[in-house]
Amino acid sequence: MFISPAYAQTATGASSQGGLAGFLSLAPLILVFIVFYFLMIRPQQRRMKSLQSAIAAVKKGDTVVTAGGLVGKVTKVEDQFVEVEIAANTRVRVVKATLAEVTALGAKPAND
């Protein structure tokens, strides 16, 4: 009575395409997530995997950088700890999980 027959017919036609319209409204969000995964998450996982393998393979004589910024030479390796010489006759014990970078003995510096 209050709705014209022409409007009622178009309203039922639009509801049949609601699934496609709903998917198209989510498509940009899905695309952003896929791009975010390949540009941010995947490289970070790769970097963490290589760091964990380097920490597991740390040995005496390697140069390490801790998360706190200490740079030193490894003098002793244990299961959970590494003894690092940060100055002449100054050694500290560092938890292996706090190592941020491991440079092998005799490796070329990054800035040369």
Side-chain angles (χ1 to χ4, degrees), residues 21-59:
F23 175 73
L24 289 177
S25 68
L26 288 177
L29 183 63
I30 293 169
L31 183 66
V32 166
F33 179 75
I34 290 171
V35 169
F36 186 75
Y37 175 77
F38 281 107
L39 293 179
M40 300 286 289
I41 297 171
R42 197 163 176 244
Q44 181 65 23
Q45 287 176 342
R46 232 186 255 158
R47 214 172 299 129
M48 287 302 294
K49 195 177 203 181
S50 68
L51 177 62
Q52 287 174 350
S53 65
I55 289 172
V58 69
K59 60 187 179 298

Side-chain angles (χ1 to χ4, degrees), residues 11-112:
T12 58
S15 66
S16 67
Q17 294 181 3
L20 180 61
F23 175 73
L24 289 177
S25 68
L26 288 177
L29 183 63
I30 293 169
L31 183 66
V32 166
F33 179 75
I34 290 171
V35 169
F36 186 75
Y37 175 77
F38 281 107
L39 293 179
M40 300 286 289
I41 297 171
R42 197 163 176 244
Q44 181 65 23
Q45 287 176 342
R46 232 186 255 158
R47 214 172 299 129
M48 287 302 294
K49 195 177 203 181
S50 68
L51 177 62
Q52 287 174 350
S53 65
I55 289 172
V58 69
K59 60 187 179 298
K60 185 177 177 181
D62 289 347
T63 302
V64 295
V65 178
T66 66
L70 293 175
V71 179
K73 193 174 194 177
V74 176
T75 58
K76 183 178 175 185
V77 179
E78 298 175 4
D79 288 338
Q80 297 291 326
F81 299 98
V82 175
E83 190 174 280
V84 179
E85 184 173 12
I86 56 174
N89 295 323
T90 306
R91 295 181 179 168
V92 292
R93 284 183 63 184
V94 178
V95 178
K96 272 188 177 182
T98 63
L99 295 179
E101 185 180 335
V102 178
T103 307
L105 178 64
K108 187 175 180 182
N111 61 355
D112 285 343

